[in-house]
Amino acid sequence: MVSEHSDAQDGETTALALKILVAGGFGVGKTTLVGAVSEIRPLRTEELLSEAGQSVDDTGGVDQKVTTTVAMDFGRITIRSGLSLYLFGTPGQDRFWFLWDELSQGALGAVVLADTRRLEDCFPAVDYFEHRHIPFVVAVNCFAGARTYGAQDVSRALDLDPGTPVVLCDARDRDSGKEVLIRLVEYAGRMHTARLLDSVG
């Protein structure tokens, strides 16, 4: 979490910037979500998929995908006056997970994108954030032609902790992505407040 303070004498308000991770399996739409909601030109570290990676990258279900994130995506969105979110999209393949610990430092919370056609691909991200007590929401990216499941069905399938939000979204749509981020900020705020009260109680 990063705070940005400005000079109140100049009539400017104090700004708060929160760090959010966007995680999930390979080809689930992380880069798309960051790009759709970002108000700045997003930073992308995409490279073309190569023959060398065919033996380690499972492209089942995403056969049309030709690029992959090798470090991170970065974008920024202003939720309201004085509140901005810095978005860090994580790489999806196992071989890049060593970057996750660095990216998660100081994060308020995370969005775990899920594809119901390959729901098992988001298990590692769910486990990662649960074990580190980082608040997260599961956002089901509704791909065309995929069977639609309700939030409760997805929650049971992923064996989520009670209260962990599950929302349906379209990663290509800015308003849909923004709603996901608002839900995360609200949920993470409640979680951090509860932990603070527990620590002083």
Side-chain angles (χ1 to χ4, degrees), residues 116-132:
T116 56
R117 300 170 301 178
R118 299 176 292 121
L119 198 57
E120 67 279 2
D121 288 359
C122 71
F123 283 148
V126 168
D127 288 342
Y128 181 91
F129 297 122
E130 282 185 345
H131 284 108
R132 287 161 180 79

Side-chain angles (χ1 to χ4, degrees), residues 36-60:
V37 302
S38 181
E39 62 199 15
I40 62 172
R41 182 178 180 182
L43 168 68
R44 293 178 173 152
T45 58
E46 287 194 309
E47 296 292 341
L48 290 173
L49 289 171
S50 65
E51 291 185 11
Q54 288 179 352
S55 61
V56 290
D57 294 332
D58 180 9
T59 58

